[in-house]
Amino acid sequence: MTSAVRGSVRRRATGAGLAALLLAGGAVACGGKGDQSPEMTPAAAVAKAAKNTQDITSLHYRMKGQYPEQGQITAEASMRLKPTVAMSMKMNVPSQGAEGAAEIRLVDKAMYIGGNPEMAKEMDGKTWLKFDLSALGDKQLGAGAAGAGQAEQNPAAESGFLTGAKDVKKVGTETVDGVETTHYRGTVTLDELKASLKKESKDVREQREKSLQQYEKLGVDTMTMDMWVDGQDRTKQFRLKGQADKGPLDMTITFVDYNKPVAVTAPPAKDVADLAEMMKDAQG
């Protein structure tokens, strides 16, 4: 494999991997029990739903929308948060044609991207490309470095963002995937989000700070967020919109289920091309 081909594969795979990891990091998890009181204020309802996300162990969700530079994206994923982080996602970026379909797996601190016949043609028949997140540095990961660390963060960190908005309001009641929900909306700046972290516990604050970094890197200053909360104070759906340096960000995440077993396995070694080894060969 020539260095030019390696570069092409790495750029395409890194772009897909970054989008997947950021989107996974951006997923708002669901959890918790209890009946929502009719008298609860919009801010209190949002805060309760956000708090209920902190104890989940796994989730299954769908995503769709627009991501900067990538364009329209659809994906479905299962993610385990405890005892260790693992994820399996099938993603499609229509604007990239046949090259836009990929499967991403995150397991044992390694990310695998595969399922694309075009990529296999450029990797001597290998159908998966491995990113060893613990071995590759920022320079080797390129843009993917921003998402690599975020992938191991609790995705529930995102759900707390709406609690930082000062204008949270009730939009109405809607049915999402057959579930009756209450729809809330608010707008918040990154500075307001940072200020709101002061009242949080250390663990929550650290999670949200790391999550905020991805939006700073994208150049998003203000976010409009919609949250659909079910009758058990769980987040059933979440939408985040903002303007990034390289285009609009508008993603909707719908939760299918939560706290069910999620098993993710690495692809067979014979089918995997290791990016770290490819980089060593290229340098040589």
Side-chain angles (χ1 to χ4, degrees), residues 163-181:
T163 62
K166 299 177 181 179
D167 63 347
V168 178
K169 64 181 180 181
K170 178 180 175 180
V171 178
T173 56
E174 299 172 23
T175 301
V176 178
D177 265 4
V179 177
E180 293 296 323
T181 69

Side-chain angles (χ1 to χ4, degrees), residues 36 41-47 49 159-174 176 181-189 192 222-229 235 237-242 250-252:
Q36 182 175 306
T41 66
V46 166
S159 67
F161 284 179
L162 189 52
T163 62
K166 299 177 181 179
D167 63 347
V168 178
K169 64 181 180 181
K170 178 180 175 180
V171 178
T173 56
E174 299 172 23
V176 178
T181 69
T182 303
H183 181 183
Y184 300 96
R185 178 179 296 153
T187 301
V188 63
T189 67
E192 289 173 336
T222 303
M223 294 181 284
T224 298
M225 290 164 284
D226 290 80
M227 180 186 286
W228 288 261
V229 181
T235 303
Q237 185 167 275
F238 186 77
R239 183 180 184 184
L240 187 150
K241 296 185 292 183
D250 186 353
M251 296 303 304
T252 298

Side-chain angles (χ1 to χ4, degrees), residues 5 25 28 30 45 66 79 81 103-104 137 182 189 196 200 217 220 229 236 240 243 245 253 262-263 272:
V5 170
V28 184
C30 41
Q66 189 165 358
M79 189 171 192
L81 300 172
E103 181 178 351
I104 297 94
T182 303
T189 67
S196 70
E200 302 293 347
K217 291 180 182 297
V220 177
V229 181
K236 177 61 180 176
L240 187 150
Q243 183 62 42
D245 290 339
I253 303 98
V262 173
V272 176

Side-chain angles (χ1 to χ4, degrees), residues 67-70 218-219 243-249:
Y67 199 82
E69 293 191 282
Q70 301 289 330
L218 287 172
Q243 183 62 42
D245 290 339
K246 297 183 179 180
L249 171 68

